[in-house]
Amino acid sequence: MPQPARLIPAPARPLVPALVLAAALGLPLPALSQGLTAAELWSGWQSAVASAGGQLTAQEKREGDRLVLQNVQLLPSGEGEAALRLETLTLISQADGSVGVVLPDQFPLVLDLPDDDGTAQKVVLSVTAPGLKLQILGLGQKAEFTAIGPSVSVTLDEMLPPPAAGVKTEITAALADLNLRYKHELDIPVPALDTALEVGSLHLELAGPEDGSETPLRVSADIDALRASAAGTFPPSTQVFLDTPTRADGTSDIQPFLTALADGLSVKASAEIGGLTATVTDHEAAAALTLAASSAGIALDKTVAAWQSLLTGAAMDVKPIGPDEPDTDMAFSLGEYRTALSIGLNGLTATQDWSLAYVMRDLVASPGVWAAIDPSGVLPAAPINTMALDLKGRYALDPVALTPGWSPLPSDPPPFTAFSFEINELALDGLGLTFNGTGGLGLDFGDLTTFEGFPLPAGRLHFVTVGAYGLLDKLSSIGLVSADDMSGARMLLLMAGKAGAEPDHLTTDLDFRDKSLFLNGQKIR
């Protein structure tokens, strides 16, 4: 598809409603130990925005424990930023020391956005949020915020001037079962943050002009069971770590990072969805995307640094719809896609665990895709059942790497005293080829002479390959492998593989023992 034009102008540095909340909650304003009042919250917001270089104004009217704000304006701190306007907002001082923020069930939200050429554009959004409950339980050093609502929708009502003649820009976002919380404590020895978002469902609709066409580009998406969370603790030494200078060779001292971890630095964040369906349509094609589930997360503390992501039940289908487009269905589906990385830390003063995984399963392509890849039909149009690399092991860092100012030379070996890995899964199954590996190795960095600069290995690796010669023949026949490369690959298979009882079946055994290397039982080094 052609690249779509932007649907709405993007300001360089927008001041949006989140700035009000972030500034009010995050700047070091005086802590209010006896609770918070509506007037104090409003004054805190204004001070925080002013500290950021902006201006927050409104017509104020006090009604008992209520502060009614009309014609609320959030003005930018400089050129190239957005201005926000809200008709009315009510702050209510509550008996528990919190402040309730009351918005009308339906209200317009006006954004004044600078365009790329510096001219102003006005965007009017219609917001509908019946039953939305916003509560602020603290300000400054100790702050907490919650938002709960059965439904919230935002629709683009007007954009002046319109981005393109003849094609209307449309934007709609609607969510159900909103539950948002945010909390931080900054006046404790190790400041902490904790936030979470849950949305039962989210629906998005976008339509707008497309470069070179009067037909609008349309995007629709539905997301189920959206959840996201982030929590962390940040001791004062975190800033020392962040300010650690980077040397010319791209390295920096690791000790400030380890000190921050020992002092309590920690981060944990995750996001997941229970399902996704989306469509994108322009004048040439329609694309549909589905996901059964997806998730990702990171974790960091003094014991471990870890990352993981998982995607299941993914499918994409692209169908031409233009009168001059070929009638070819391009579709993919993927059963599982998973990545993971975990590195033990614990001050890096002892041997640590590590693990790594990259796994893809059940990749299926439609006949149209195979016809584009292999018009002659030589390759087997079968699924790629498995592509997996899953390892675990142990490592020990050389203490010299913890020395302030240490920087490795290009000729230096990796800064380890020991390293090992074990294969949980090493597999490839597709295109008529199957490959599997098992075993593991340990590397002794105390011996860099036996294998001429490479740490001494010990262990055994076992590989089984089926269909390699057949796949090479097919790739050669369609010109993807040259004659010279074909000869080299066949020679390598002949040298490294031992023929099995079945045709095109090879086994390879690599044994590292007694400071020697054995290939299929024969000592070669």
Side-chain angles (χ1 to χ4, degrees):
M1 293 185 188
Q3 292 296 317
R6 53 191 170 85
L7 300 182
I8 60 173
R13 298 182 306 278
L15 281 173
V16 293
L19 175 60
V20 180
L21 175 61
L25 294 179
L27 287 185
L29 301 172
L32 301 169
S33 58
Q34 301 301 317
L36 184 65
T37 67
E40 290 168 335
L41 176 61
W42 175 239
S43 177
W45 277 357
Q46 290 180 303
S47 298
V49 173
S51 298
Q55 186 179 8
L56 181 62
T57 64
Q59 298 174 356
E60 304 176 23
K61 181 180 179 181
R62 288 176 171 77
E63 299 177 352
D65 59 0
R66 294 172 176 254
L67 177 60
V68 180
L69 305 172
Q70 295 181 330
N71 191 26
V72 181
Q73 299 185 66
L74 177 60
L75 303 178
S77 59
E79 295 183 0
E81 296 178 345
L84 177 148
R85 307 178 194 279
L86 183 64
E87 287 186 350
T88 183
L89 176 70
T90 302
L91 306 179
I92 304 176
S93 301
Q94 302 186 128
D96 61 358
S98 66
V99 174
V101 180
V102 179
L103 295 164
D105 286 351
Q106 186 172 5
F107 58 91
L109 185 64
V110 181
L111 297 173
D112 292 326
L113 304 175
D115 204 352
D116 294 338
D117 59 3
T119 60
Q121 287 200 344
K122 182 171 74 171
V123 176
V124 181
L125 303 174
S126 176
V127 182
T128 302
L132 179 63
K133 296 180 180 179
L134 307 176
Q135 186 179 28
I136 296 177
L137 295 89
L139 188 66
Q141 298 293 306
K142 188 173 183 178
E144 188 171 355
F145 168 80
T146 62
I148 300 174
S151 63
V152 178
S153 65
V154 180
T155 302
L156 176 64
D157 271 358
E158 188 177 22
M159 181 183 292
L160 296 173
V167 178
K168 183 180 179 182
T169 297
E170 303 173 11
I171 302 175
T172 299
L175 59 86
D177 301 324
L178 168 67
N179 192 332
L180 169 66
R181 62 174 175 80
Y182 172 94
K183 181 179 181 179
H184 74 228
E185 292 187 72
L186 306 180
D187 57 350
I188 56 178
V190 180
L193 176 146
D194 187 8
T195 183
L197 169 68
E198 293 186 8
V199 175
S201 63
L202 174 63
H203 175 74
L204 299 173
E205 291 278 354
L206 297 92
E210 183 184 1
D211 289 339
S213 173
E214 295 185 357
T215 302
L217 171 73
R218 294 191 176 276
V219 179
S220 175
D222 287 281
I223 300 174
D224 295 326
L226 169 64
R227 295 181 179 87
S229 65
T233 52
F234 307 93
S237 52
T238 302
Q239 192 60 51
V240 177
F241 154 59
L242 295 175
D243 292 339
T244 302
T246 301
R247 291 183 284 265
D249 61 0
T251 63
S252 59
D253 288 342
I254 195 173
Q255 198 59 53
F257 173 58
L258 298 177
T259 298
L261 290 174
D263 290 344
L265 172 63
S266 68
V267 177
K268 187 175 183 179
S270 65
E272 63 178 287
I273 60 173
L276 165 70
T277 59
T279 59
V280 180
T281 306
D282 66 3
H283 68 285
E284 291 183 346
L289 171 68
T290 61
L291 288 177
S294 181
S295 65
I298 61 171
L300 171 67
D301 60 27
K302 66 181 180 181
T303 65
V304 69
W307 153 265
Q308 65 82 27
S309 67
L310 175 64
L311 181 152
T312 60
M316 175 177 284
D317 190 356
V318 181
K319 294 183 179 180
I321 58 176
D324 300 325
E325 299 298 325
D327 185 17
T328 303
D329 186 8
M330 308 289 281
F332 300 87
S333 66
L334 182 62
E336 176 189 355
Y337 181 84
R338 175 171 62 90
T339 63
L341 174 66
S342 178
I343 302 175
L345 298 174
N346 293 297
L348 298 178
T349 57
T351 304
Q352 305 295 323
D353 295 326
W354 69 271
S355 63
L356 169 70
Y358 179 92
V359 178
M360 184 172 66
R361 301 190 197 279
D362 301 326
L363 174 61
V364 180
S366 67
V369 174
W370 283 110
I373 297 174
D374 176 25
S376 60
V378 172
L379 296 176
I384 297 179
N385 298 311
T386 301
M387 183 183 297
L389 172 65
D390 191 340
L391 307 175
K392 67 179 181 180
R394 304 268 285 167
Y395 79 98
L397 192 67
D398 190 334
V400 71
L402 305 180
T403 305
W406 176 82
S407 180
L409 297 174
S411 58
D412 287 345
F416 298 108
T417 57
F419 185 89
S420 67
F421 72 88
E422 179 182 340
I423 298 174
N424 292 325
E425 183 179 17
L426 177 60
L428 175 62
D429 181 2
L431 300 177
L433 171 72
T434 62
F435 172 81
N436 290 278
T438 58
L441 290 180
L443 303 179
D444 180 3
F445 285 79
D447 183 349
L448 298 176
T449 59
T450 301
F451 282 84
E452 300 175 357
F454 190 84
L456 179 65
R460 186 173 187 268
L461 299 173
H462 176 71
F463 305 104
V464 176
T465 308
V466 178
Y469 288 117
L471 178 59
L472 285 173
D473 290 339
K474 291 181 174 65
L475 294 176
S476 177
S477 69
I478 60 177
L480 293 180
V481 177
S482 67
D484 288 343
D485 291 339
M486 181 71 170
S487 298
R490 282 185 167 274
M491 181 64 68
L492 179 61
L493 289 173
L494 183 63
M495 293 174 56
K498 182 173 62 175
E502 301 294 328
D504 206 352
H505 186 289
L506 301 173
T507 61
T508 302
D509 291 301
L510 291 174
D511 285 285
F512 295 88
R513 65 178 187 271
D514 303 327
K515 296 189 176 183
S516 300
L517 168 60
F518 296 82
L519 174 61
N520 298 323
Q522 300 296 316
K523 184 177 179 179
I524 62 172
R525 185 184 178 102

